[in-house]
Amino acid sequence: MTTKPIIALDIPSKQEAISFLDSFEQESLFLKIGMELYYSEGPDLIRELKEKGHQIFLDLKLHDIPNTVYRAMKVLATLEVDMVNVHAAGGTEMMQAAVKGLEEGTKAGKKRPLLIAVTQLTSTTEKQMQSEQLIDSTLDNSVTHYAKLAYQAGLDGVVCSALEARMIHEATSQKFLCVTPGIRPSGSDEGDQKRVATPEFAAKEGATHIVVGRPITQVEYPIIAYKNIDHQWKGDK
Ligand code: C5P
């Protein structure tokens, strides 16, 4: 596995984020910035982290009419983030508009951010999907269906559970990215995550990226936890 584990920076302020990152010294990291930190600190934080040499997955899960998503993506591309996402439920036209916005917003000579889709949120149960979204199918079918729509719309991949990666690759392409949260090294606290996987298992199932939060951010020695997870993910331990 060549990708770095993505650290979910679920930290409320820039000050705390920077002091957390200081413990990694010069290590160049792949960081996931979510709504909490982005809404409190804005694009300046992204620019600062990029200047320090980190890669950024900006996890804002856009879901709106195609024109609005197109315009928003055009702006996000100027931040030179490495990965962004949308809800596949916004539809094919919205996903295509997101790709177009990213392409147009990417500066000449730069790589456009990877675009991935959320299929069904992992907090959604099959029962809730059926009764509230009126989808008369299984959760797996809905996840696969949205993954196929994202693939056909030209997206690079999906956020999914490691347990879904194999099924998604079969329905799309082996090259389609499966970015998987819910990762726990064996023996660590599951917290509120229900369907967890170890880094080795995620790699075996075909995950292309893993997202890890608390097993790195909430421990005494984050850099040691990070390196252990990285070894387990890359299979060199
Ligand atoms: O602390 P933990 O490793 O559980 O953090 C996982 C990160 O991945 C969190 O930022 C969470 O919001 C995010 N995430 C998730 N499940 C999804 C999508 C995103 O846990 N389906």
Side-chain angles (χ1 to χ4, degrees):
M1 207 50 67
T2 54
T3 60
K4 293 174 187 177
I6 302 175
I7 304 177
L9 217 49
D10 294 322
I11 291 175
S13 69
K14 174 174 157 179
Q15 201 187 356
E16 287 164 86
I18 298 290
S19 83
F20 168 76
L21 293 172
D22 279 348
S23 67
F24 286 85
E25 295 161 2
Q26 296 307 310
E27 187 101 22
S28 147
L29 303 167
F30 201 153
L31 304 168
K32 180 172 88 69
I33 308 287
M35 295 184 213
E36 182 187 22
L37 195 52
Y38 189 72
Y39 291 156
S40 69
E41 303 292 349
D44 284 349
L45 174 66
I46 306 293
R47 291 189 195 102
E48 197 171 322
L49 295 173
K50 288 293 301 178
E51 269 165 30
K52 288 183 197 282
H54 301 304
Q55 287 173 274
I56 306 289
F57 167 16
L58 192 52
D59 180 18
L60 299 180
K61 300 187 178 72
L62 274 66
H63 186 174
D64 208 319
I65 59 170
N67 185 52
T68 301
V69 170
Y70 159 74
R71 295 169 74 101
M73 285 298 185
K74 216 168 151 180
V75 176
L76 292 183
T78 65
L79 296 177
E80 297 178 23
V81 291
D82 299 275
M83 186 183 278
V84 288
N85 57 1
V86 291
H87 274 281
T92 298
E93 201 186 324
M94 184 206 76
M95 290 193 274
Q96 288 168 337
V99 175
K100 186 164 172 257
L102 289 175
E103 279 169 355
E104 290 181 14
T106 301
K107 293 175 191 146
K110 299 280 179 184
K111 231 174 125 228
R112 90 151 162 78
L114 293 168
L115 177 62
I116 59 172
V118 175
T119 58
Q120 288 287 350
L121 289 169
T122 42
S123 53
T124 305
T125 63
E126 188 164 276
K127 201 168 157 225
Q128 184 190 3
M129 179 193 83
Q130 291 166 346
S131 66
E132 296 184 11
Q133 300 178 34
L134 289 184
I135 295 175
D136 185 18
S137 189
T138 62
L139 193 63
D140 276 359
N141 274 344
S142 176
V143 166
T144 311
H145 174 66
Y146 278 137
K148 272 194 215 161
L149 287 186
Y151 179 64
Q152 287 158 3
L155 272 67
D156 302 292
V158 286
V159 182
C160 66
S161 144
L163 304 151
E164 296 162 349
R166 197 174 287 271
M167 168 180 97
I168 287 169
H169 279 143
E170 277 164 16
T172 58
S173 142
Q174 292 301 320
K175 290 196 182 133
F176 202 50
L177 304 179
C178 284
V179 179
T180 63
I183 299 296
R184 293 291 177 270
S186 40
S188 74
D189 189 358
E190 292 187 5
D192 57 356
Q193 294 281 14
K194 302 279 185 281
R195 300 171 74 211
V196 298
T198 61
E200 295 98 323
F201 181 80
K204 183 169 107 3
E205 291 302 297
T208 58
H209 297 72
I210 51 171
V211 176
V212 193
R214 288 160 290 180
I216 296 173
T217 58
Q218 302 298 316
V219 296
E220 201 174 351
Y221 300 109
I223 189 161
I224 295 176
Y226 173 76
K227 293 212 157 145
N228 281 336
I229 288 169
D230 193 31
H231 287 315
Q232 291 172 25
W233 166 236
K234 295 190 172 132
D236 52 9
K237 189 184 163 195

